[in-house]
Amino acid sequence: MSEQHVRIVVADFGPVDRWTWEERIASLVDSVPRGEFDGTGTDLGTGEFEVFIYGPDANALVAALTPFLRESNAAGMRLKVLKRAGDVELDLEPVDIG
């Protein structure tokens, strides 16, 4: 099976501490079999902060992250989630986290 991908794009952390948030994301990814928190970066074109996550099942990764991401949005963060649940040639698709 090909490696699948989840990307979280943060436009604004609001009042949420970035480092604490990032540690929690990494911990949740670790709870998914063979999930890998691959790091973060800032898109120089948009200034948005990005989180890169990989594993054999993008849907399982999203399921593990969704409750915390909903809390993050409720706390004032502005973020979006994208996933690629298949081959690397497929485009990332938006995920509704509710």
Side-chain angles (χ1 to χ4, degrees):
M1 172 174 257
S2 65
E3 187 171 73
Q4 298 187 8
H5 177 87
V6 175
R7 182 180 303 165
I8 304 168
V9 181
V10 180
D12 184 3
F13 278 94
V16 176
D17 178 71
R18 172 188 162 184
W19 304 110
T20 303
W21 182 86
E22 195 174 313
E23 287 174 3
R24 180 72 175 130
I25 291 291
S27 174
L28 289 167
V29 171
D30 284 344
S31 74
V32 177
R34 297 185 10 235
E36 179 184 346
F37 177 85
D38 193 43
T40 62
T42 301
D43 182 315
L44 298 178
T46 64
E48 293 177 319
F49 179 79
E50 298 180 316
V51 179
F52 304 96
I53 302 164
Y54 298 92
D57 185 348
N59 293 320
L61 290 165
V62 168
L65 295 167
T66 294
F68 180 64
L69 294 174
R70 284 184 186 142
E71 290 174 20
S72 299
N73 272 340
M77 286 183 71
R78 289 188 314 133
L79 59 85
K80 63 184 173 183
V81 179
L82 306 165
K83 74 174 180 178
R84 184 185 68 235
D87 290 331
V88 70
E89 291 83 22
L90 295 174
D91 290 333
L92 289 166
E93 61 187 56
V95 176
D96 179 13
I97 59 168

